[in-house]
Amino acid sequence: MTRLPCPLGHAASCYAHQMAVHSPSESTSYAQLDRDVAAIERQLAKRGVHSGHRVAIQAPNSYKLICTLWALFRLRAVACLMNPRWPAGAVQNAVDLVRADHVLSESSLV
C-alpha cells in the first residue's frame, strides 16, 4: 500500500512561517503546528494508539483538539468525535456503538 505524505508536513515545509491556526488568543505557524502534532503523535503512540484504532474524543473545539486530530490522521487511526455537551451515559453508549479502542476527553488530550 502506498503511503501518502501528510498534507500538514508538506505545508510546514513549504509555508513554515505562515499562519496555520489563528484564534483571538493565539496564532500558530505551520512549522509550530507540525512540531506540536508530532509531539502528540508520539504520546498517543506510547498510549497504544495504532493504525485502524477507533479513538472516541469528547472535547470542545481547541488548538489541542486540532493537533490531536492531525496526530490521529498521521497514525492512521479513526477519530470518533462525540458532542462535548452529551452526558456521560450518552457518551458511553456512543463509545460502545463505535467500539472505540481509546477514549479521550478534554482533560486527557495530550
Side-chain angles (χ1 to χ4, degrees), residues 38-89:
I40 291 172
E41 180 184 3
R42 287 189 299 273
Q43 292 174 5
L44 289 172
K46 284 181 185 177
R47 290 184 183 183
V49 177
H50 301 291
S51 177
H53 282 191
R54 293 181 186 101
V55 181
I57 304 171
Q58 185 189 29
N61 293 335
S62 67
Y63 181 73
K64 287 171 76 172
L65 179 61
I66 292 169
C67 292
T68 300
L69 292 173
W70 273 110
L72 291 172
F73 173 83
R74 286 181 175 181
L75 290 167
R76 302 181 73 175
V78 179
C80 304
L81 296 172
M82 310 287 162
N83 188 323
R85 296 183 184 138
W86 284 351

Side-chain angles (χ1 to χ4, degrees), residues 11 19 21 36 51 54 64 77-78 83 85 93 95 98 105:
M19 187 183 337
V21 178
D36 293 342
S51 177
R54 293 181 186 101
K64 287 171 76 172
V78 179
N83 188 323
R85 296 183 184 138
N93 287 340
V95 166
V98 300
S105 65

Side-chain angles (χ1 to χ4, degrees), residues 16-37:
H17 301 294
Q18 291 187 16
M19 187 183 337
V21 178
H22 175 72
S23 73
S25 60
E26 64 184 301
S27 294
T28 304
S29 68
Y30 280 103
Q32 184 61 51
L33 177 60
D34 188 55
R35 286 190 296 273
D36 293 342
V37 168

